[in-house]
Amino acid sequence: MLRIAVPNKGSLSGPAAEMLHEAGYQQRRESKELRIVDPVNEVEFFYLRPRDIAIYVASGQLDIGLTGRDLLIDSGAEAEEILALGFARSTFHYAAKPGTIGGLADLSGKTVATSYEGIVAAHLAEHGIDASVVHLDGAVETAIQLGVAQVIADVVETGTSLRNAGLEVAGDPIMQSEAVVIRRTGADADDLKVQQFLRRLQGVLVARTYVMMDYDCRVEQLEKAVALTPGLESPTVSPLHNEGWVAVRAMVPAKEAQRIMDDLYDIGARAILTTAIHACRL
C-alpha cells in the first residue's frame, strides 16, 4: 500500500482532508484516529503533526506527505516538494520597530526571534548576513518588547498583529508558502502509485480552477467565439438542427467565466451555460 502522511490538526488539516476526499480517498471520521486504511485505493493514511511530516517522509517510512512548504524547509529534512496544492498560502517577513530596519543588510549583528529557525537561518546564510537566531514557540511579537530580540520573522497575513505590537514589516518577503506534496529526496520519481495519487490531486486542482461552458452561436461568429473559449486543446463544436448554428463546449477559467459569458453574448452567442467540474484527468 501507498503510505501517506496527512496533517492531523491546524490550518492544513481540514483543507487537506477535503482535497483527498474530492480525489476519491477515504478519510477519517474522528479527529482521534491516527491511522486509517483505504483498501479500495490501496492507500494507508497516517495523521501526524504537520511539523513532523517531512521527517517521517525523509526517513523512508512513509512514501509521501502533505505539509506546508515552510515546514518542509524549516525541518531541514531530506525531502522535496513535488506538487503545490494551492491552499494554506502565507508570506514570511522580517518585522521590527518602525524606522529601525530598512533592508536585509540592517539585520547584521541583530538578534532575530522566530518559530521557524531553519528558514530564517538558511535565508540569512544565503545572503551572507551575520545575525543571531533565537527560537521561540508560538507568537513572537512580544520578543522585541521584552528585549529578547531586535527583529522577528514570522508569517504575515493582514499585518494587524504587527501593528498592534508596534511593529512594521522590514524588507522583502523571506518566502511564500502553501500546502505541498513531498517525497523523500532521491525516491523513485516513476513510482506508479505515487504518479496516480498526484494525477488525482491535479484533477482536483483543475476541477476547482475551471468550469465547463456550453453555448450556441451562428457559424459566421464561430471563430470569434472560439477565440474567447479556446479550451485546453480546442473546444467541441457540434452542428444544431437549425441550419447555420452550432453548439460549442469548452473548459474556461472559473474566475473569468462571467466576463467570457458577457463577451460571448455580445457577439451573438445564446443559451450560455456553465457547470461545475467535479473531477478530471488532463
Side-chain angles (χ1 to χ4, degrees):
M1 285 194 172
L2 190 66
R3 295 156 63 88
I4 302 174
V6 183
N8 67 344
K9 60 182 179 179
S11 60
L12 290 166
S13 178
E18 182 180 352
M19 175 170 277
L20 291 169
H21 177 73
E22 289 180 39
Y25 293 103
Q26 179 182 334
Q27 289 296 286
R28 62 181 181 174
R29 297 181 179 179
E30 297 182 3
S31 59
K32 293 182 180 180
E33 292 182 277
L34 301 180
R35 169 186 170 273
I36 67 165
V37 175
D38 181 349
V40 173
N41 293 298
E42 297 184 323
V43 174
E44 190 174 9
F45 291 102
F46 294 83
Y47 296 87
L48 307 170
R49 290 180 67 248
R51 278 191 172 272
D52 296 338
I53 287 176
I55 304 298
Y56 281 105
V57 172
S59 73
Q61 298 303 308
L62 300 179
D63 300 301
I64 52 180
L66 280 66
T67 188
R69 182 181 295 135
D70 54 343
L71 299 175
L72 167 63
I73 295 174
D74 194 60
S75 71
E78 291 296 315
E80 60 186 7
E81 173 183 334
I82 55 175
L83 179 66
L85 298 177
F87 63 85
R89 289 190 170 101
S90 59
T91 304
F92 281 75
H93 276 282
Y94 294 108
K97 290 183 178 179
T100 59
I101 302 294
L104 193 59
D106 295 331
L107 296 178
S108 182
K110 301 289 194 302
T111 299
V112 182
T114 183
S115 299
Y116 297 85
E117 184 178 1
I119 291 175
V120 175
H123 187 259
L124 293 171
E126 178 185 352
H127 292 85
I129 304 299
D130 184 14
S132 301
V133 180
V134 174
H135 178 84
L136 296 176
D137 286 321
V140 296
E141 289 88 350
T142 57
I144 295 177
Q145 180 182 356
L146 296 177
V148 174
Q150 296 85 43
V151 183
I152 65 169
D154 204 3
V155 175
V156 177
E157 295 179 357
T158 63
T160 301
S161 297
L162 291 181
R163 288 191 293 272
N164 290 342
L167 306 176
E168 66 177 9
V169 167
D172 296 328
I174 300 170
M175 69 169 293
Q176 304 282 344
S177 183
E178 64 182 295
V180 296
V181 180
I182 65 171
R183 69 179 172 203
R184 179 174 55 84
T185 302
D188 181 10
D190 297 322
D191 185 293
L192 295 179
K193 290 183 178 179
V194 172
Q195 291 304 314
Q196 182 187 68
F197 178 79
L198 294 177
R199 281 196 301 272
R200 287 199 182 191
L201 295 190
Q202 288 166 338
V204 172
L205 292 173
V206 173
R208 290 178 173 183
T209 305
Y210 287 85
V211 294
M212 189 66 72
M213 185 170 289
D214 293 89
Y215 58 91
D216 301 338
C217 76
R218 295 195 62 83
V219 172
E220 56 265 29
Q221 298 299 328
L222 181 58
E223 291 306 315
K224 290 182 179 179
V226 169
L228 293 170
T229 60
L232 296 185
E233 280 79 28
S234 65
T236 300
V237 180
S238 306
L240 293 178
H241 180 71
N242 288 343
E243 188 175 350
W245 284 82
V246 293
V248 183
R249 163 171 278 203
M251 290 172 62
V252 301
K255 291 182 179 179
E256 300 178 24
Q258 292 295 333
R259 177 190 60 77
I260 293 172
M261 293 175 78
D262 291 338
D263 292 344
L264 286 171
Y265 191 90
D266 289 343
I267 65 172
R270 294 296 183 265
I272 309 169
L273 308 172
T274 61
T275 51
I277 300 171
H278 296 290
C280 75
R281 297 290 185 275
L282 296 182

